[in-house]
Amino acid sequence: MDGVLVDSEPYLEKYYGQVIKSLGGSPSATDFHSIRGSNGTTFWQYFSQKYHFPLPNEAFKKNAASNFVSYLKSQHPKATPGIKKLIRRCLDQHL
């Protein structure tokens, strides 16, 4: 439900920007805009090709994703406007 419950894009850019920098890249807002909404495979292929580093292994990618979840929680993101009301209505309707 990423992007529905919480707009995570600004957090993704900040967190993964640092990850890409640690691998030797220097990602820009344009880079992130180019791949917005893509899957993880496309994300890693894009940055590894653009900044000439090897594709990270699955353990690295899994660790990065896990650390992103922790980072996101620590930032206390706000719910998308109206989502709490929608969830309550769904619960009331036993959906």
Side-chain angles (χ1 to χ4, degrees), residues 45-62:
Q45 287 174 341
Y46 174 89
F47 283 108
S48 69
Q49 288 173 1
K50 181 165 184 178
Y51 294 109
H52 310 290
F53 58 79
L55 276 173
N57 65 35
E58 291 305 312
F60 179 91
K61 291 188 277 187
K62 186 175 181 177

Side-chain angles (χ1 to χ4, degrees), residues 79-93:
T80 300
I83 199 68
K84 290 179 182 180
K85 183 177 178 181
L86 175 63
I87 291 170
R88 277 193 292 277
R89 288 180 65 198
C90 289
L91 290 171
D92 290 347
Q93 296 295 317

Side-chain angles (χ1 to χ4, degrees), residues 15-71:
Y15 173 79
Y16 277 104
Q18 292 302 315
V19 172
I20 299 303
K21 285 178 185 177
S22 76
L23 295 170
S26 53
S28 66
T30 303
D31 286 328
F32 284 103
H33 180 75
S34 297
I35 59 164
R36 183 164 284 142
S38 66
N39 63 27
T41 300
T42 301
F43 173 92
W44 289 111
Q45 287 174 341
Y46 174 89
F47 283 108
S48 69
Q49 288 173 1
K50 181 165 184 178
Y51 294 109
H52 310 290
F53 58 79
L55 276 173
N57 65 35
E58 291 305 312
F60 179 91
K61 291 188 277 187
K62 186 175 181 177
N63 187 53
S66 177
N67 288 341
F68 172 69
V69 171
S70 297
Y71 168 76

Side-chain angles (χ1 to χ4, degrees), residues 3-24:
V4 174
L5 301 177
V6 171
D7 179 10
S8 60
E9 290 294 333
Y11 303 100
L12 281 163
E13 288 183 25
K14 186 173 181 181
Y15 173 79
Y16 277 104
Q18 292 302 315
V19 172
I20 299 303
K21 285 178 185 177
S22 76
L23 295 170

